[in-house]
Amino acid sequence: EVQLVESGGGLVQAGGSLRLSCAASGFTFDDYAIGWLRQAPGKEREGVSCINNYDGSIHYADSVKGRFTISSDNAKNTVYLQINNLKVEDTAVYYCAADPICGLGSYAYEYWGQGTQVTVSS
């Protein structure tokens, strides 16, 4: 059974930092890309970053470049998203997802986690 479990969300003040984790199981981790996507209230889901575990390539949406850092620990089958200098507009449910292809924007990933809430207060 494929499982993607996110953790690390919470309530944080603007300017603070969070590290989200995505623990994966049930598929060959090294053969997949893992993406982080977010959905804010009333907005469409947006892919913000992804990492290809098979070649290490990394991609970021322009809206998060310089503040978000994605990394992968292949020994732990876990992908992290470090978010610095959080802004109120970063408030959203953050999902991790897995697919053979790394996609941003509205890309439809094959497997999804349940999401973790990030709330940034002003």
Side-chain angles (χ1 to χ4, degrees), residues 29-70:
F29 188 76
D30 291 355
D31 291 344
Y32 274 73
I34 303 294
W36 282 99
L37 305 93
R38 66 184 180 184
Q39 188 163 21
K43 295 189 178 180
E44 293 186 355
R45 191 155 46 196
E46 170 195 22
V48 295
S49 184
C50 63
I51 183 168
N52 282 312
N53 285 321
Y54 45 88
D55 67 6
S57 60
I58 287 172
H59 306 274
Y60 296 102
D62 288 342
S63 58
V64 304
K65 282 180 180 177
R67 298 191 299 118
F68 287 29
T69 303
I70 193 170

PDB file of all heavy atoms in Angstrom, residues 29-70:
ATOM      1  N   PHE A  29      11.053   4.300  -3.869  1.00  0.00           N
ATOM      2  CA  PHE A  29      11.275   5.730  -3.640  1.00  0.00           C
ATOM      3  C   PHE A  29      12.239   6.318  -4.662  1.00  0.00           C
ATOM      4  O   PHE A  29      12.003   7.410  -5.181  1.00  0.00           O
ATOM      5  CB  PHE A  29      11.811   5.902  -2.219  1.00  0.00           C
ATOM      6  CG  PHE A  29      11.919   7.315  -1.743  1.00  0.00           C
ATOM      7  CD1 PHE A  29      10.789   8.018  -1.366  1.00  0.00           C
ATOM      8  CD2 PHE A  29      13.156   7.930  -1.644  1.00  0.00           C
ATOM      9  CE1 PHE A  29      10.880   9.324  -0.904  1.00  0.00           C
ATOM     10  CE2 PHE A  29      13.273   9.228  -1.184  1.00  0.00           C
ATOM     11  CZ  PHE A  29      12.125   9.925  -0.803  1.00  0.00           C
ATOM     12  N   ASP A  30      13.316   5.611  -4.945  1.00  0.00           N
ATOM     13  CA  ASP A  30      14.354   6.147  -5.835  1.00  0.00           C
ATOM     14  C   ASP A  30      13.871   6.317  -7.273  1.00  0.00           C
ATOM     15  O   ASP A  30      14.523   7.005  -8.056  1.00  0.00           O
ATOM     16  CB  ASP A  30      15.582   5.232  -5.820  1.00  0.00           C
ATOM     17  CG  ASP A  30      16.309   5.264  -4.487  1.00  0.00           C
ATOM     18  OD1 ASP A  30      15.909   6.060  -3.617  1.00  0.00           O
ATOM     19  OD2 ASP A  30      17.263   4.495  -4.314  1.00  0.00           O
ATOM     20  N   ASP A  31      12.760   5.710  -7.635  1.00  0.00           N
ATOM     21  CA  ASP A  31      12.245   5.780  -9.006  1.00  0.00           C
ATOM     22  C   ASP A  31      11.215   6.888  -9.202  1.00  0.00           C
ATOM     23  O   ASP A  31      10.709   7.059 -10.313  1.00  0.00           O
ATOM     24  CB  ASP A  31      11.593   4.455  -9.414  1.00  0.00           C
ATOM     25  CG  ASP A  31      12.601   3.333  -9.570  1.00  0.00           C
ATOM     26  OD1 ASP A  31      13.815   3.635  -9.663  1.00  0.00           O
ATOM     27  OD2 ASP A  31      12.184   2.162  -9.588  1.00  0.00           O
ATOM     28  N   TYR A  32      10.931   7.611  -8.146  1.00  0.00           N
ATOM     29  CA  TYR A  32       9.854   8.587  -8.200  1.00  0.00           C
ATOM     30  C   TYR A  32      10.341  10.002  -7.891  1.00  0.00           C
ATOM     31  O   TYR A  32      11.360  10.202  -7.228  1.00  0.00           O
ATOM     32  CB  TYR A  32       8.751   8.223  -7.191  1.00  0.00           C
ATOM     33  CG  TYR A  32       7.741   7.258  -7.742  1.00  0.00           C
ATOM     34  CD1 TYR A  32       8.073   5.924  -7.927  1.00  0.00           C
ATOM     35  CD2 TYR A  32       6.461   7.677  -8.081  1.00  0.00           C
ATOM     36  CE1 TYR A  32       7.154   5.033  -8.447  1.00  0.00           C
ATOM     37  CE2 TYR A  32       5.527   6.788  -8.596  1.00  0.00           C
ATOM     38  CZ  TYR A  32       5.893   5.472  -8.774  1.00  0.00           C
ATOM     39  OH  TYR A  32       4.968   4.592  -9.291  1.00  0.00           O
ATOM     40  N   ALA A  33       9.574  10.956  -8.377  1.00  0.00           N
ATOM     41  CA  ALA A  33       9.708  12.340  -7.962  1.00  0.00           C
ATOM     42  C   ALA A  33       8.697  12.600  -6.848  1.00  0.00           C
ATOM     43  O   ALA A  33       7.604  12.029  -6.839  1.00  0.00           O
ATOM     44  CB  ALA A  33       9.431  13.273  -9.140  1.00  0.00           C
ATOM     45  N   ILE A  34       9.091  13.445  -5.925  1.00  0.00           N
ATOM     46  CA  ILE A  34       8.206  13.854  -4.843  1.00  0.00           C
ATOM     47  C   ILE A  34       7.984  15.351  -4.955  1.00  0.00           C
ATOM     48  O   ILE A  34       8.946  16.131  -5.044  1.00  0.00           O
ATOM     49  CB  ILE A  34       8.800  13.537  -3.461  1.00  0.00           C
ATOM     50  CG1 ILE A  34       9.122  12.041  -3.348  1.00  0.00           C
ATOM     51  CG2 ILE A  34       7.834  13.972  -2.360  1.00  0.00           C
ATOM     52  CD1 ILE A  34       7.925  11.124  -3.368  1.00  0.00           C
ATOM     53  N   GLY A  35       6.739  15.723  -4.952  1.00  0.00           N
ATOM     54  CA  GLY A  35       6.407  17.134  -5.042  1.00  0.00           C
ATOM     55  C   GLY A  35       5.717  17.633  -3.788  1.00  0.00           C
ATOM     56  O   GLY A  35       5.099  16.860  -3.052  1.00  0.00           O
ATOM     57  N   TRP A  36       5.865  18.914  -3.545  1.00  0.00           N
ATOM     58  CA  TRP A  36       5.101  19.595  -2.502  1.00  0.00           C
ATOM     59  C   TRP A  36       4.133  20.544  -3.194  1.00  0.00           C
ATOM     60  O   TRP A  36       4.522  21.329  -4.065  1.00  0.00           O
ATOM     61  CB  TRP A  36       6.003  20.376  -1.569  1.00  0.00           C
ATOM     62  CG  TRP A  36       6.704  19.530  -0.564  1.00  0.00           C
ATOM     63  CD1 TRP A  36       7.991  19.065  -0.630  1.00  0.00           C
ATOM     64  CD2 TRP A  36       6.169  19.043   0.675  1.00  0.00           C
ATOM     65  NE1 TRP A  36       8.282  18.311   0.478  1.00  0.00           N
ATOM     66  CE2 TRP A  36       7.172  18.289   1.301  1.00  0.00           C
ATOM     67  CE3 TRP A  36       4.937  19.169   1.317  1.00  0.00           C
ATOM     68  CZ2 TRP A  36       6.985  17.653   2.534  1.00  0.00           C
ATOM     69  CZ3 TRP A  36       4.758  18.549   2.536  1.00  0.00           C
ATOM     70  CH2 TRP A  36       5.772  17.798   3.131  1.00  0.00           C
ATOM     71  N   LEU A  37       2.882  20.461  -2.793  1.00  0.00           N
ATOM     72  CA  LEU A  37       1.845  21.292  -3.355  1.00  0.00           C
ATOM     73  C   LEU A  37       1.096  21.925  -2.200  1.00  0.00           C
ATOM     74  O   LEU A  37       1.106  21.408  -1.078  1.00  0.00           O
ATOM     75  CB  LEU A  37       0.889  20.462  -4.213  1.00  0.00           C
ATOM     76  CG  LEU A  37       1.555  19.661  -5.329  1.00  0.00           C
ATOM     77  CD1 LEU A  37       1.875  18.234  -4.859  1.00  0.00           C
ATOM     78  CD2 LEU A  37       0.679  19.616  -6.565  1.00  0.00           C
ATOM     79  N   ARG A  38       0.438  23.043  -2.452  1.00  0.00           N
ATOM     80  CA  ARG A  38      -0.324  23.679  -1.389  1.00  0.00           C
ATOM     81  C   ARG A  38      -1.653  24.184  -1.946  1.00  0.00           C
ATOM     82  O   ARG A  38      -1.764  24.493  -3.142  1.00  0.00           O
ATOM     83  CB  ARG A  38       0.461  24.833  -0.772  1.00  0.00           C
ATOM     84  CG  ARG A  38       0.716  26.011  -1.708  1.00  0.00           C
ATOM     85  CD  ARG A  38       1.592  27.052  -1.022  1.00  0.00           C
ATOM     86  NE  ARG A  38       1.850  28.193  -1.885  1.00  0.00           N
ATOM     87  CZ  ARG A  38       2.640  29.205  -1.554  1.00  0.00           C
ATOM     88  NH1 ARG A  38       3.267  29.213  -0.363  1.00  0.00           N
ATOM     89  NH2 ARG A  38       2.811  30.210  -2.400  1.00  0.00           N
ATOM     90  N   GLN A  39      -2.616  24.251  -1.052  1.00  0.00           N
ATOM     91  CA  GLN A  39      -3.917  24.782  -1.429  1.00  0.00           C
ATOM     92  C   GLN A  39      -4.410  25.711  -0.337  1.00  0.00           C
ATOM     93  O   GLN A  39      -4.643  25.268   0.803  1.00  0.00           O
ATOM     94  CB  GLN A  39      -4.929  23.672  -1.675  1.00  0.00           C
ATOM     95  CG  GLN A  39      -6.231  24.187  -2.254  1.00  0.00           C
ATOM     96  CD  GLN A  39      -7.073  23.104  -2.871  1.00  0.00           C
ATOM     97  OE1 GLN A  39      -6.915  21.916  -2.572  1.00  0.00           O
ATOM     98  NE2 GLN A  39      -7.971  23.482  -3.770  1.00  0.00           N
ATOM     99  N   ALA A  40      -4.525  26.957  -0.684  1.00  0.00           N
ATOM    100  CA  ALA A  40      -5.039  27.961   0.234  1.00  0.00           C
ATOM    101  C   ALA A  40      -6.545  28.038   0.091  1.00  0.00           C
ATOM    102  O   ALA A  40      -7.104  27.666  -0.951  1.00  0.00           O
ATOM    103  CB  ALA A  40      -4.404  29.317  -0.078  1.00  0.00           C
ATOM    104  N   PRO A  41      -7.234  28.513   1.119  1.00  0.00           N
ATOM    105  CA  PRO A  41      -8.696  28.620   1.060  1.00  0.00           C
ATOM    106  C   PRO A  41      -9.144  29.428  -0.150  1.00  0.00           C
ATOM    107  O   PRO A  41      -8.636  30.531  -0.387  1.00  0.00           O
ATOM    108  CB  PRO A  41      -9.044  29.329   2.367  1.00  0.00           C
ATOM    109  CG  PRO A  41      -7.925  29.004   3.283  1.00  0.00           C
ATOM    110  CD  PRO A  41      -6.702  28.942   2.425  1.00  0.00           C
ATOM    111  N   GLY A  42     -10.057  28.866  -0.923  1.00  0.00           N
ATOM    112  CA  GLY A  42     -10.599  29.571  -2.068  1.00  0.00           C
ATOM    113  C   GLY A  42      -9.696  29.625  -3.279  1.00  0.00           C
ATOM    114  O   GLY A  42     -10.023  30.283  -4.272  1.00  0.00           O
ATOM    115  N   LYS A  43      -8.554  28.946  -3.210  1.00  0.00           N
ATOM    116  CA  LYS A  43      -7.609  28.981  -4.336  1.00  0.00           C
ATOM    117  C   LYS A  43      -7.371  27.574  -4.864  1.00  0.00           C
ATOM    118  O   LYS A  43      -7.606  26.585  -4.189  1.00  0.00           O
ATOM    119  CB  LYS A  43      -6.295  29.621  -3.902  1.00  0.00           C
ATOM    120  CG  LYS A  43      -6.427  31.094  -3.531  1.00  0.00           C
ATOM    121  CD  LYS A  43      -5.064  31.712  -3.317  1.00  0.00           C
ATOM    122  CE  LYS A  43      -5.192  33.199  -3.003  1.00  0.00           C
ATOM    123  NZ  LYS A  43      -3.850  33.832  -2.795  1.00  0.00           N
ATOM    124  N   GLU A  44      -6.859  27.505  -6.081  1.00  0.00           N
ATOM    125  CA  GLU A  44      -6.522  26.226  -6.665  1.00  0.00           C
ATOM    126  C   GLU A  44      -5.228  25.686  -6.055  1.00  0.00           C
ATOM    127  O   GLU A  44      -4.388  26.438  -5.574  1.00  0.00           O
ATOM    128  CB  GLU A  44      -6.360  26.362  -8.183  1.00  0.00           C
ATOM    129  CG  GLU A  44      -7.649  26.685  -8.905  1.00  0.00           C
ATOM    130  CD  GLU A  44      -7.486  26.670 -10.402  1.00  0.00           C
ATOM    131  OE1 GLU A  44      -6.354  26.505 -10.881  1.00  0.00           O
ATOM    132  OE2 GLU A  44      -8.506  26.811 -11.108  1.00  0.00           O
ATOM    133  N   ARG A  45      -5.105  24.376  -6.097  1.00  0.00           N
ATOM    134  CA  ARG A  45      -3.895  23.749  -5.599  1.00  0.00           C
ATOM    135  C   ARG A  45      -2.722  24.134  -6.490  1.00  0.00           C
ATOM    136  O   ARG A  45      -2.847  24.201  -7.711  1.00  0.00           O
ATOM    137  CB  ARG A  45      -4.075  22.238  -5.544  1.00  0.00           C
ATOM    138  CG  ARG A  45      -2.981  21.524  -4.808  1.00  0.00           C
ATOM    139  CD  ARG A  45      -3.457  20.206  -4.258  1.00  0.00           C
ATOM    140  NE  ARG A  45      -4.210  19.433  -5.206  1.00  0.00           N
ATOM    141  CZ  ARG A  45      -4.984  18.403  -4.887  1.00  0.00           C
ATOM    142  NH1 ARG A  45      -5.093  18.048  -3.611  1.00  0.00           N
ATOM    143  NH2 ARG A  45      -5.635  17.742  -5.798  1.00  0.00           N
ATOM    144  N   GLU A  46      -1.578  24.383  -5.875  1.00  0.00           N
ATOM    145  CA  GLU A  46      -0.401  24.905  -6.573  1.00  0.00           C
ATOM    146  C   GLU A  46       0.818  24.060  -6.211  1.00  0.00           C
ATOM    147  O   GLU A  46       1.140  23.909  -5.031  1.00  0.00           O
ATOM    148  CB  GLU A  46      -0.167  26.354  -6.143  1.00  0.00           C
ATOM    149  CG  GLU A  46       1.152  26.951  -6.606  1.00  0.00           C
ATOM    150  CD  GLU A  46       1.513  28.236  -5.875  1.00  0.00           C
ATOM    151  OE1 GLU A  46       1.017  28.467  -4.769  1.00  0.00           O
ATOM    152  OE2 GLU A  46       2.326  29.005  -6.430  1.00  0.00           O
ATOM    153  N   GLY A  47       1.490  23.533  -7.212  1.00  0.00           N
ATOM    154  CA  GLY A  47       2.742  22.831  -6.972  1.00  0.00           C
ATOM    155  C   GLY A  47       3.842  23.840  -6.731  1.00  0.00           C
ATOM    156  O   GLY A  47       4.059  24.708  -7.569  1.00  0.00           O
ATOM    157  N   VAL A  48       4.543  23.738  -5.596  1.00  0.00           N
ATOM    158  CA  VAL A  48       5.552  24.737  -5.264  1.00  0.00           C
ATOM    159  C   VAL A  48       6.974  24.223  -5.406  1.00  0.00           C
ATOM    160  O   VAL A  48       7.911  25.007  -5.597  1.00  0.00           O
ATOM    161  CB  VAL A  48       5.340  25.300  -3.846  1.00  0.00           C
ATOM    162  CG1 VAL A  48       4.031  26.056  -3.754  1.00  0.00           C
ATOM    163  CG2 VAL A  48       5.394  24.196  -2.797  1.00  0.00           C
ATOM    164  N   SER A  49       7.174  22.920  -5.298  1.00  0.00           N
ATOM    165  CA  SER A  49       8.521  22.385  -5.427  1.00  0.00           C
ATOM    166  C   SER A  49       8.450  20.890  -5.690  1.00  0.00           C
ATOM    167  O   SER A  49       7.476  20.235  -5.319  1.00  0.00           O
ATOM    168  CB  SER A  49       9.323  22.642  -4.153  1.00  0.00           C
ATOM    169  OG  SER A  49      10.657  22.209  -4.304  1.00  0.00           O
ATOM    170  N   CYS A  50       9.490  20.375  -6.336  1.00  0.00           N
ATOM    171  CA  CYS A  50       9.570  18.929  -6.492  1.00  0.00           C
ATOM    172  C   CYS A  50      11.027  18.510  -6.631  1.00  0.00           C
ATOM    173  O   CYS A  50      11.874  19.321  -7.015  1.00  0.00           O
ATOM    174  CB  CYS A  50       8.752  18.434  -7.677  1.00  0.00           C
ATOM    175  SG  CYS A  50       9.292  19.047  -9.257  1.00  0.00           S
ATOM    176  N   ILE A  51      11.276  17.264  -6.301  1.00  0.00           N
ATOM    177  CA  ILE A  51      12.619  16.711  -6.408  1.00  0.00           C
ATOM    178  C   ILE A  51      12.528  15.354  -7.074  1.00  0.00           C
ATOM    179  O   ILE A  51      11.677  14.538  -6.714  1.00  0.00           O
ATOM    180  CB  ILE A  51      13.297  16.622  -5.016  1.00  0.00           C
ATOM    181  CG1 ILE A  51      14.729  16.110  -5.144  1.00  0.00           C
ATOM    182  CG2 ILE A  51      12.491  15.770  -4.048  1.00  0.00           C
ATOM    183  CD1 ILE A  51      15.542  16.286  -3.852  1.00  0.00           C
ATOM    184  N   ASN A  52      13.385  15.134  -8.052  1.00  0.00           N
ATOM    185  CA  ASN A  52      13.466  13.834  -8.704  1.00  0.00           C
ATOM    186  C   ASN A  52      14.445  12.969  -7.936  1.00  0.00           C
ATOM    187  O   ASN A  52      15.645  13.261  -7.916  1.00  0.00           O
ATOM    188  CB  ASN A  52      13.969  13.991 -10.137  1.00  0.00           C
ATOM    189  CG  ASN A  52      12.894  14.476 -11.066  1.00  0.00           C
ATOM    190  OD1 ASN A  52      11.795  13.955 -11.069  1.00  0.00           O
ATOM    191  ND2 ASN A  52      13.220  15.463 -11.863  1.00  0.00           N
ATOM    192  N   ASN A  53      13.975  11.905  -7.328  1.00  0.00           N
ATOM    193  CA  ASN A  53      14.876  11.063  -6.545  1.00  0.00           C
ATOM    194  C   ASN A  53      15.821  10.252  -7.435  1.00  0.00           C
ATOM    195  O   ASN A  53      16.842   9.771  -6.955  1.00  0.00           O
ATOM    196  CB  ASN A  53      14.072  10.115  -5.659  1.00  0.00           C
ATOM    197  CG  ASN A  53      13.479  10.829  -4.470  1.00  0.00           C
ATOM    198  OD1 ASN A  53      14.116  11.693  -3.882  1.00  0.00           O
ATOM    199  ND2 ASN A  53      12.254  10.493  -4.127  1.00  0.00           N
ATOM    200  N   TYR A  54      15.496  10.091  -8.702  1.00  0.00           N
ATOM    201  CA  TYR A  54      16.356   9.278  -9.566  1.00  0.00           C
ATOM    202  C   TYR A  54      17.519  10.074 -10.156  1.00  0.00           C
ATOM    203  O   TYR A  54      18.497   9.491 -10.570  1.00  0.00           O
ATOM    204  CB  TYR A  54      15.548   8.598 -10.674  1.00  0.00           C
ATOM    205  CG  TYR A  54      14.544   9.469 -11.372  1.00  0.00           C
ATOM    206  CD1 TYR A  54      14.904  10.241 -12.472  1.00  0.00           C
ATOM    207  CD2 TYR A  54      13.223   9.497 -10.939  1.00  0.00           C
ATOM    208  CE1 TYR A  54      13.968  11.034 -13.108  1.00  0.00           C
ATOM    209  CE2 TYR A  54      12.285  10.279 -11.584  1.00  0.00           C
ATOM    210  CZ  TYR A  54      12.665  11.060 -12.668  1.00  0.00           C
ATOM    211  OH  TYR A  54      11.733  11.839 -13.294  1.00  0.00           O
ATOM    212  N   ASP A  55      17.401  11.397 -10.230  1.00  0.00           N
ATOM    213  CA  ASP A  55      18.545  12.155 -10.736  1.00  0.00           C
ATOM    214  C   ASP A  55      18.901  13.353  -9.869  1.00  0.00           C
ATOM    215  O   ASP A  55      19.876  14.060 -10.147  1.00  0.00           O
ATOM    216  CB  ASP A  55      18.337  12.602 -12.184  1.00  0.00           C
ATOM    217  CG  ASP A  55      17.228  13.626 -12.348  1.00  0.00           C
ATOM    218  OD1 ASP A  55      16.670  14.089 -11.330  1.00  0.00           O
ATOM    219  OD2 ASP A  55      16.907  13.958 -13.506  1.00  0.00           O
ATOM    220  N   GLY A  56      18.146  13.582  -8.807  1.00  0.00           N
ATOM    221  CA  GLY A  56      18.442  14.659  -7.872  1.00  0.00           C
ATOM    222  C   GLY A  56      18.045  16.042  -8.327  1.00  0.00           C
ATOM    223  O   GLY A  56      18.294  17.016  -7.605  1.00  0.00           O
ATOM    224  N   SER A  57      17.435  16.171  -9.491  1.00  0.00           N
ATOM    225  CA  SER A  57      17.069  17.502  -9.958  1.00  0.00           C
ATOM    226  C   SER A  57      15.945  18.073  -9.106  1.00  0.00           C
ATOM    227  O   SER A  57      15.108  17.344  -8.579  1.00  0.00           O
ATOM    228  CB  SER A  57      16.664  17.458 -11.429  1.00  0.00           C
ATOM    229  OG  SER A  57      15.568  16.603 -11.630  1.00  0.00           O
ATOM    230  N   ILE A  58      15.973  19.384  -8.982  1.00  0.00           N
ATOM    231  CA  ILE A  58      15.055  20.101  -8.097  1.00  0.00           C
ATOM    232  C   ILE A  58      14.419  21.252  -8.860  1.00  0.00           C
ATOM    233  O   ILE A  58      15.066  21.908  -9.687  1.00  0.00           O
ATOM    234  CB  ILE A  58      15.825  20.631  -6.868  1.00  0.00           C
ATOM    235  CG1 ILE A  58      16.170  19.463  -5.926  1.00  0.00           C
ATOM    236  CG2 ILE A  58      15.025  21.688  -6.134  1.00  0.00           C
ATOM    237  CD1 ILE A  58      17.082  19.862  -4.782  1.00  0.00           C
ATOM    238  N   HIS A  59      13.162  21.502  -8.546  1.00  0.00           N
ATOM    239  CA  HIS A  59      12.433  22.578  -9.214  1.00  0.00           C
ATOM    240  C   HIS A  59      11.609  23.348  -8.189  1.00  0.00           C
ATOM    241  O   HIS A  59      11.105  22.753  -7.227  1.00  0.00           O
ATOM    242  CB  HIS A  59      11.502  21.998 -10.284  1.00  0.00           C
ATOM    243  CG  HIS A  59      12.193  21.110 -11.269  1.00  0.00           C
ATOM    244  ND1 HIS A  59      12.815  21.584 -12.398  1.00  0.00           N
ATOM    245  CD2 HIS A  59      12.400  19.761 -11.253  1.00  0.00           C
ATOM    246  CE1 HIS A  59      13.353  20.563 -13.050  1.00  0.00           C
ATOM    247  NE2 HIS A  59      13.118  19.458 -12.381  1.00  0.00           N
ATOM    248  N   TYR A  60      11.497  24.660  -8.417  1.00  0.00           N
ATOM    249  CA  TYR A  60      10.700  25.514  -7.542  1.00  0.00           C
ATOM    250  C   TYR A  60       9.801  26.399  -8.387  1.00  0.00           C
ATOM    251  O   TYR A  60      10.183  26.868  -9.460  1.00  0.00           O
ATOM    252  CB  TYR A  60      11.593  26.425  -6.697  1.00  0.00           C
ATOM    253  CG  TYR A  60      12.484  25.703  -5.726  1.00  0.00           C
ATOM    254  CD1 TYR A  60      13.836  25.522  -5.999  1.00  0.00           C
ATOM    255  CD2 TYR A  60      11.981  25.223  -4.514  1.00  0.00           C
ATOM    256  CE1 TYR A  60      14.660  24.872  -5.106  1.00  0.00           C
ATOM    257  CE2 TYR A  60      12.805  24.569  -3.620  1.00  0.00           C
ATOM    258  CZ  TYR A  60      14.141  24.390  -3.918  1.00  0.00           C
ATOM    259  OH  TYR A  60      14.956  23.739  -3.037  1.00  0.00           O
ATOM    260  N   ALA A  61       8.621  26.668  -7.855  1.00  0.00           N
ATOM    261  CA  ALA A  61       7.787  27.696  -8.457  1.00  0.00           C
ATOM    262  C   ALA A  61       8.426  29.056  -8.195  1.00  0.00           C
ATOM    263  O   ALA A  61       9.085  29.256  -7.162  1.00  0.00           O
ATOM    264  CB  ALA A  61       6.391  27.650  -7.851  1.00  0.00           C
ATOM    265  N   ASP A  62       8.238  29.980  -9.105  1.00  0.00           N
ATOM    266  CA  ASP A  62       8.835  31.305  -8.943  1.00  0.00           C
ATOM    267  C   ASP A  62       8.389  31.975  -7.653  1.00  0.00           C
ATOM    268  O   ASP A  62       9.152  32.737  -7.050  1.00  0.00           O
ATOM    269  CB  ASP A  62       8.454  32.194 -10.133  1.00  0.00           C
ATOM    270  CG  ASP A  62       9.166  31.792 -11.418  1.00  0.00           C
ATOM    271  OD1 ASP A  62      10.183  31.063 -11.332  1.00  0.00           O
ATOM    272  OD2 ASP A  62       8.698  32.186 -12.494  1.00  0.00           O
ATOM    273  N   SER A  63       7.178  31.679  -7.219  1.00  0.00           N
ATOM    274  CA  SER A  63       6.613  32.341  -6.040  1.00  0.00           C
ATOM    275  C   SER A  63       7.322  31.969  -4.747  1.00  0.00           C
ATOM    276  O   SER A  63       7.174  32.668  -3.739  1.00  0.00           O
ATOM    277  CB  SER A  63       5.122  32.009  -5.912  1.00  0.00           C
ATOM    278  OG  SER A  63       4.934  30.607  -5.824  1.00  0.00           O
ATOM    279  N   VAL A  64       8.108  30.888  -4.759  1.00  0.00           N
ATOM    280  CA  VAL A  64       8.731  30.437  -3.510  1.00  0.00           C
ATOM    281  C   VAL A  64      10.253  30.384  -3.592  1.00  0.00           C
ATOM    282  O   VAL A  64      10.915  30.062  -2.592  1.00  0.00           O
ATOM    283  CB  VAL A  64       8.188  29.061  -3.074  1.00  0.00           C
ATOM    284  CG1 VAL A  64       6.677  29.104  -2.960  1.00  0.00           C
ATOM    285  CG2 VAL A  64       8.631  27.954  -4.025  1.00  0.00           C
ATOM    286  N   LYS A  65      10.798  30.678  -4.743  1.00  0.00           N
ATOM    287  CA  LYS A  65      12.254  30.622  -4.884  1.00  0.00           C
ATOM    288  C   LYS A  65      12.933  31.542  -3.880  1.00  0.00           C
ATOM    289  O   LYS A  65      12.513  32.671  -3.668  1.00  0.00           O
ATOM    290  CB  LYS A  65      12.661  31.017  -6.310  1.00  0.00           C
ATOM    291  CG  LYS A  65      12.455  29.925  -7.336  1.00  0.00           C
ATOM    292  CD  LYS A  65      12.882  30.385  -8.722  1.00  0.00           C
ATOM    293  CE  LYS A  65      12.665  29.288  -9.747  1.00  0.00           C
ATOM    294  NZ  LYS A  65      12.998  29.735 -11.112  1.00  0.00           N
ATOM    295  N   GLY A  66      13.976  31.027  -3.265  1.00  0.00           N
ATOM    296  CA  GLY A  66      14.727  31.799  -2.283  1.00  0.00           C
ATOM    297  C   GLY A  66      14.258  31.605  -0.856  1.00  0.00           C
ATOM    298  O   GLY A  66      14.991  31.913   0.090  1.00  0.00           O
ATOM    299  N   ARG A  67      13.038  31.102  -0.665  1.00  0.00           N
ATOM    300  CA  ARG A  67      12.519  30.885   0.688  1.00  0.00           C
ATOM    301  C   ARG A  67      12.260  29.412   0.997  1.00  0.00           C
ATOM    302  O   ARG A  67      12.286  29.003   2.143  1.00  0.00           O
ATOM    303  CB  ARG A  67      11.222  31.666   0.898  1.00  0.00           C
ATOM    304  CG  ARG A  67      11.352  33.158   0.789  1.00  0.00           C
ATOM    305  CD  ARG A  67      10.090  33.847   1.280  1.00  0.00           C
ATOM    306  NE  ARG A  67       8.920  33.485   0.497  1.00  0.00           N
ATOM    307  CZ  ARG A  67       7.849  32.864   1.000  1.00  0.00           C
ATOM    308  NH1 ARG A  67       7.802  32.542   2.283  1.00  0.00           N
ATOM    309  NH2 ARG A  67       6.823  32.586   0.209  1.00  0.00           N
ATOM    310  N   PHE A  68      11.987  28.627  -0.023  1.00  0.00           N
ATOM    311  CA  PHE A  68      11.690  27.203   0.147  1.00  0.00           C
ATOM    312  C   PHE A  68      12.884  26.385  -0.314  1.00  0.00           C
ATOM    313  O   PHE A  68      13.496  26.690  -1.337  1.00  0.00           O
ATOM    314  CB  PHE A  68      10.467  26.800  -0.688  1.00  0.00           C
ATOM    315  CG  PHE A  68       9.137  27.284  -0.179  1.00  0.00           C
ATOM    316  CD1 PHE A  68       9.024  28.448   0.554  1.00  0.00           C
ATOM    317  CD2 PHE A  68       7.992  26.551  -0.446  1.00  0.00           C
ATOM    318  CE1 PHE A  68       7.802  28.883   1.017  1.00  0.00           C
ATOM    319  CE2 PHE A  68       6.755  26.977   0.003  1.00  0.00           C
ATOM    320  CZ  PHE A  68       6.651  28.151   0.726  1.00  0.00           C
ATOM    321  N   THR A  69      13.188  25.339   0.451  1.00  0.00           N
ATOM    322  CA  THR A  69      14.253  24.423   0.067  1.00  0.00           C
ATOM    323  C   THR A  69      13.754  22.994   0.224  1.00  0.00           C
ATOM    324  O   THR A  69      13.339  22.607   1.323  1.00  0.00           O
ATOM    325  CB  THR A  69      15.504  24.622   0.932  1.00  0.00           C
ATOM    326  OG1 THR A  69      15.945  25.981   0.836  1.00  0.00           O
ATOM    327  CG2 THR A  69      16.624  23.690   0.470  1.00  0.00           C
ATOM    328  N   ILE A  70      13.822  22.241  -0.851  1.00  0.00           N
ATOM    329  CA  ILE A  70      13.402  20.847  -0.811  1.00  0.00           C
ATOM    330  C   ILE A  70      14.645  19.970  -0.743  1.00  0.00           C
ATOM    331  O   ILE A  70      15.687  20.294  -1.321  1.00  0.00           O
ATOM    332  CB  ILE A  70      12.540  20.494  -2.046  1.00  0.00           C
ATOM    333  CG1 ILE A  70      11.841  19.150  -1.876  1.00  0.00           C
ATOM    334  CG2 ILE A  70      13.361  20.532  -3.326  1.00  0.00           C
ATOM    335  CD1 ILE A  70      10.794  18.860  -2.941  1.00  0.00           C
TER     336      ILE A  70
END
